[in-house]
Amino acid sequence: MRKTTTFALFATALIALGCGAGATDDASSSSSEEGGAKGEEKAAKTAKIGQAARDGKFEFTVKSAKCGVAKVGSDLLGDKAQGQFCLVTVNVKNIGKEPQTLIDSSQKAYAADGTEYSTDSEAALYANKDQQTLFAEINPGNQVTGVLVFDIPKKAKLAKLELHDSPFSGGVEVALS
């Protein structure tokens, strides 16, 4: 009985989170459509390095991408890549009207063949001088710059990023080549 109650509460919480996230995304979409930005939003779905790209409450600008890095951090404290680290420097601005947390695990990278790579959160702690950059809540109008770290095979090459303001958002693509 106790396991059933716990499971039911957990399932209800997941459903509530999903419904709430959908409502937030829908509200953002409808307000941008009212402003006449519907066509602009579609046109901005794929950006290049140096171009601003919006997803939900965040405006992302990828500043640079550097692959082939074997280790991040110092000699005493650091992380060694299984293959190679790709360090992607990104500026994130909160363009919404309420605080939003940037979650590095919501960000994805892809090779040209469609292989998906997730971030390496531990390596990101060593790659960012301000360790809170990629986990901190960003207030409206504020922005942070940080490094997303992807540990990919030595012979792999990243083609694009998919950046999200939350785990439930549609995301925006940024071409890396």
Side-chain angles (χ1 to χ4, degrees):
M1 176 79 171
R2 187 173 193 180
K3 287 182 182 179
T4 306
T5 304
T6 303
F7 178 76
L9 288 172
F10 181 73
T12 303
L14 284 177
I15 291 169
L17 281 173
C19 291
T24 301
D25 289 343
D26 290 342
S28 299
S29 297
S30 64
S31 65
S32 67
E33 288 175 13
E34 291 171 7
K38 184 176 180 182
E40 292 174 23
E41 185 178 355
K42 287 183 180 180
K45 280 294 181 186
T46 300
K48 296 179 182 177
I49 292 178
Q51 292 181 330
R54 292 181 172 194
D55 180 56
K57 297 174 188 162
F58 284 154
E59 180 178 84
F60 299 93
T61 304
V62 175
K63 295 180 168 258
S64 65
K66 177 184 177 187
C67 293
V69 177
K71 183 181 178 186
V72 291
S74 67
D75 289 336
L76 298 174
L77 295 172
D79 197 11
K80 186 177 177 183
Q82 294 172 354
Q84 65 171 322
F85 285 130
C86 287
L87 308 177
V88 179
T89 303
V90 62
N91 179 272
V92 183
K93 182 177 181 180
N94 183 339
I95 57 172
K97 296 198 180 286
E98 56 191 44
Q100 180 83 5
T101 301
L102 175 64
I103 304 169
D104 74 327
S105 62
S106 296
Q107 317 315 319
K108 305 292 179 199
Y110 293 89
D113 67 358
T115 303
E116 178 182 310
Y117 299 101
S118 62
T119 56
D120 185 331
S121 297
E122 181 182 351
L125 290 174
Y126 297 111
N128 286 283
K129 293 177 184 174
D130 177 9
Q131 294 182 359
Q132 294 299 315
T133 300
L134 299 177
F135 304 105
E137 192 170 64
I138 306 169
N139 279 318
N142 286 345
Q143 58 189 343
V144 297
T145 299
V147 178
L148 297 172
V149 181
F150 299 92
D151 190 346
I152 67 172
K154 287 186 180 182
K155 294 185 179 186
K157 185 177 178 184
L158 297 182
K160 68 179 180 177
L161 298 174
E162 188 177 281
L163 303 172
H164 297 265
D165 86 330
S166 74
F168 305 108
S169 72
V172 64
E173 290 185 4
V174 177
L176 295 177
S177 51

